[in-house]
Amino acid sequence: MAVRCRNATRRRSSRVKMVAPLATCTKDEQRSVIRFLSSEGEKPKEIHRRMKVPYGDACLSLQQVYEWTGKYMNGISSVTDSPRPGQAHPVVTPEVTAAVEAIVKENRRVTVNSSTSGYESWISTSYRP
């Protein structure tokens, strides 16, 4: 009987411990977990408690879990943030990359302010309000 009890406690403790914590994860991955667990009827507080074990310090806050659970319950299905108005859109083209590489090859001590002189045209076109 004692052997059975030890095995049962080992099984329970093995559920909690993870071989490799998921410290390198994206917010989208965590939001997918929130979406899945909330679709199963889990409460936000329980979802956060379950996520703290594998994600550790990289885990979303309890407030964020509540916010995303509410969004999913209201019918939003996307796990990505929606774009905000006025936010700069990054424009990385082969031409811009080549121009920056050329500037750096000329002078390795170049600063951001000095590298933008003469290139205002492609910097100003990369921002769309």
Side-chain angles (χ1 to χ4, degrees):
M1 191 75 152
V3 173
R4 177 182 260 174
C5 186
R6 267 188 259 146
N7 288 341
T9 56
R10 273 191 207 147
R11 272 188 241 127
R12 253 187 257 125
S13 64
S14 67
R15 289 182 203 157
V16 176
K17 293 180 183 176
M18 293 200 51
V19 177
L22 301 172
T24 55
C25 62
T26 64
K27 289 182 180 181
D28 292 346
E29 290 172 1
Q30 292 187 48
R31 292 172 188 158
S32 296
V33 171
I34 295 169
R35 182 177 177 211
F36 174 74
L37 292 175
S38 64
S39 71
E40 289 190 333
E42 290 282 348
K43 303 280 187 215
K45 199 167 197 171
E46 179 64 19
I47 293 171
H48 185 259
R49 186 192 65 76
R50 287 179 64 181
M51 288 177 61
K52 281 298 279 185
V53 174
Y55 295 113
D57 292 337
C59 183
L60 294 175
S61 69
L62 180 59
Q63 180 181 356
Q64 290 173 320
V65 173
Y66 269 99
E67 289 173 8
W68 282 99
T69 302
K71 288 179 182 182
Y72 298 136
M73 292 305 183
N74 288 330
I76 292 176
S77 60
S78 175
V79 294
T80 58
D81 281 327
S82 55
R84 297 182 186 117
Q87 190 173 14
H89 302 277
V91 177
V92 180
T93 62
E95 296 84 23
V96 171
T97 305
V100 171
E101 286 176 355
I103 293 170
V104 172
K105 284 180 183 177
E106 285 177 22
N107 180 8
R108 293 217 179 256
R109 294 184 178 197
V110 70
T111 63
V112 174
N113 291 337
S114 65
S115 67
T116 58
S117 62
Y119 293 97
E120 287 85 7
S121 60
W122 53 263
I123 292 173
S124 61
T125 58
S126 66
Y127 177 76
R128 286 181 269 149

